[in-house]
Amino acid sequence: MNYRDFAYGNEFEEFFEIVTPDCTFDVINLPPQLWRNIYLLDIRPDRSLIVRLAGDAIQSVFDRNLKGVDLRQVTHGAGSKTVTDAYDAAIDDFKSRLMRRRVHLRAKNITRIIECGFVPLVHDGGVHQIVGCFMAETAIMDHPDYGCDDFVIYSL
């Protein structure tokens, strides 16, 4: 994987070196500059993705406290199935993912460039939690639409 393809490649490289499917996750083991971008999901038997922890940067992007919320409820729009499918695939194949997406929000007239990497934590032959690192940049645009909502998703 060439992390240089991502704006936050250095941060993701650090994240994936520390957080592995067989690790015992503790945010204290990550560099402090990543703490505000970390999230932890509990995976329920019905495959709900319940937010247990979301850093300050993530809360700011979503404009609300996500603790206790099913990620499937806040992932919406044209590409939402692609996002949730990536989580489902990670639960099934125990592989980490790294994705990049550009989203134009017409109502706010902003474009966000989102980069997200996550690791399924494997214990007793199953995935019970997923740890992720979420980065988002915002740019104000004068045009109404980019005309695309494209994804780049890598299995690691």
Side-chain angles (χ1 to χ4, degrees):
M1 159 55 58
N2 185 357
Y3 292 104
R4 290 184 207 158
D5 292 340
F6 287 79
Y8 294 96
N10 292 335
E11 289 85 349
F12 286 120
E13 190 168 16
E14 278 186 279
F15 173 77
F16 286 115
E17 283 177 5
I18 296 167
V19 182
T20 61
D22 60 345
C23 82
T24 300
F25 174 72
D26 189 338
V27 73
I28 204 79
N29 294 331
L30 292 168
Q33 66 268 21
L34 291 182
W35 291 352
R36 40 187 334 265
N37 302 93
I38 297 301
Y39 63 96
L40 177 65
L41 305 175
D42 289 331
I43 312 304
R44 293 205 176 140
D46 67 357
R47 293 176 81 102
S48 298
L49 307 167
I50 306 302
V51 179
R52 174 180 282 213
L53 166 77
D56 293 342
I58 299 167
Q59 304 284 9
S60 176
V61 167
F62 285 92
D63 290 329
R64 64 178 168 150
N65 183 350
L66 296 174
K67 188 173 181 179
V69 173
D70 185 346
L71 187 68
R72 295 177 197 279
Q73 294 175 350
V74 295
T75 305
H76 52 81
S80 62
K81 183 159 174 30
T82 305
V83 172
T84 56
D85 285 352
Y87 284 97
D88 288 336
I91 292 167
D92 293 337
D93 67 17
F94 304 161
K95 291 184 180 175
S96 302
R97 300 292 194 279
L98 183 58
M99 37 187 183
R100 177 179 57 228
R101 181 180 186 195
R102 181 178 57 216
V103 181
H104 184 74
L105 305 170
R106 288 185 194 133
K108 294 183 179 181
N109 197 32
I110 60 173
T111 297
R112 284 211 165 108
I113 297 142
I114 297 168
E115 294 183 347
C116 177
F118 58 88
V119 177
L121 299 180
V122 180
H123 181 70
D124 290 335
V127 175
H128 303 285
Q129 292 184 313
I130 291 177
V131 178
C133 184
F134 178 94
M135 306 287 195
E137 287 293 325
T138 303
I140 298 172
M141 303 303 220
D142 290 330
H143 51 81
D145 197 350
Y146 256 127
C148 64
D149 190 15
D150 48 342
F151 280 91
V152 177
I153 301 176
Y154 299 93
S155 292
L156 305 177

